[in-house]
Amino acid sequence: MGGEHQRGTHQEPPDRPMALALYERHAPIYDSETDFAAADRERVVDLLDLRPGDVVLDVGCGTGLCFPLLVEQVGRRGRVIGLEQSLDMLAKAQERVEAAKWENVDLMLGSVEDARIPVEADAALFSFTHDVLRTEAALENVLAHLCPGGRVAAVGPMWAPWWAPAMNVLIWYVTSDYVSTFEGFSEPWSHLARFVPGLRVERQDLLGRCFAWGAVPAESPGSKR
Ligand SMILES: C[S@@+](CC[C@H](N)C(=O)[O-])C[C@H]1O[C@@H](n2cnc3c(N)ncnc32)[C@H](O)[C@@H]1O
């Protein structure tokens, strides 16, 4: 996609070139544009139930808006790894890491589905990453790098019920410039639920927002958590 993004309601799988073009444009002002979601970021990070020393993947980390919350919870012994395919977004994340002088935050440029994740992580965060949640190969890769009992938490947009059409117009307007597909927008967590038995879902129907969280199976009662 070279020029302006045409707002639409694509039902195809996520479109990487389109997503890269969107975020190239948003990167310079992304933080102020999405400040309204700060409370959702706090909540989704809390749902990860992090402990000091944990290693956490921030999947589709963008400019790193969740990093301060994650670093605070995993502490100096813990580690945060940001996975992000947009160079423009990751450059902002890098600036954030340098400004805060965090030594335990690593950034990886590339698509989540192709990332060579160098750790077995305790937890994975999906904060406003609809495209990633709709890419099964990306989920497979992330979940294959979680330790037994590793936790996941996601927050993101979804359609409001059919009887709230005005709300859906608003959701479409706010969201269509940040996702490359609306496929799965009624149940964005549906692929994740296949990997995480017992995934808990909270639908905030009238806000067009959902949270999902849970843990992958623990290997044995004696495993890490
Ligand atoms: C709406 S932003 C969310 C950023 C951040 N997590 C937050 O809470 O603000 C979505 C991010 O996911 C990234 N992304 C989308 N699909 C991706 C993929 N397949 N691999 C890596 N990053 C991806 C985009 O480049 C973008 O930076």
Side-chain angles (χ1 to χ4, degrees):
M1 201 182 103
E4 278 294 290
H5 169 54
Q6 297 297 310
R7 287 173 185 265
T9 54
H10 310 273
Q11 293 297 320
E12 302 299 316
D15 178 330
R16 188 166 189 267
M18 182 191 290
L20 289 173
L22 286 177
Y23 284 99
E24 179 183 359
R25 189 153 50 79
H26 280 294
I29 49 168
Y30 179 83
D31 291 5
S32 54
E33 278 179 338
T34 67
D35 198 37
F36 65 91
D40 292 326
R41 291 192 182 93
E42 279 182 32
R43 169 121 197 272
V44 73
V45 170
D46 280 349
L47 288 171
L48 272 182
D49 190 23
L50 293 169
R51 313 275 165 89
D54 274 353
V55 176
V56 57
L57 305 175
D58 187 349
V59 182
C61 66
T63 62
L65 282 171
C66 293
F67 290 170
L69 302 164
L70 297 171
V71 168
E72 188 187 335
Q73 295 203 12
V74 302
R76 292 162 67 108
R77 286 186 301 109
R79 186 173 171 197
V80 177
I81 301 179
L83 309 175
E84 172 55 52
Q85 70 179 5
S86 161
L87 180 60
D88 306 272
M89 295 291 273
L90 205 69
K92 292 283 174 189
Q94 181 69 44
E95 285 172 16
R96 190 183 306 279
V97 171
E98 284 168 11
K101 298 189 166 59
W102 289 315
E103 290 180 356
N104 58 346
V105 180
D106 298 318
L107 304 178
M108 292 181 65
L109 176 65
S111 65
V112 175
E113 47 276 38
D114 296 325
R116 298 168 76 99
I117 300 171
V119 291
E120 188 178 67
D122 298 288
L125 175 70
F126 300 86
S127 173
F128 295 98
T129 55
H130 180 74
D131 280 7
V132 178
L133 289 177
R134 303 315 298 169
T135 305
E136 288 188 75
L139 296 181
E140 241 170 69
N141 191 22
V142 169
L143 294 174
H145 289 88
L146 285 188
C147 66
R151 287 99 57 210
V152 300
V155 62
M158 65 178 288
W159 291 132
W162 62 269
W163 45 262
M167 190 60 206
N168 277 326
V169 172
L170 182 64
I171 291 167
W172 169 80
Y173 187 77
V174 172
T175 313
S176 56
D177 220 25
Y178 296 93
V179 299
S180 73
T181 181
F182 278 88
E183 186 278 321
F185 219 67
S186 298
E187 293 193 346
W189 60 85
S190 65
H191 293 323
L192 193 58
R194 286 210 301 280
F195 292 95
V196 182
L199 185 77
R200 296 182 64 186
V201 174
E202 178 184 300
R203 312 167 60 118
Q204 299 183 345
D205 275 333
L206 288 176
L207 294 175
R209 182 83 78 244
C210 59
F211 289 85
W213 68 101
V216 297
E219 224 161 40
S220 71
S223 67
K224 200 170 173 191
R225 287 168 66 107

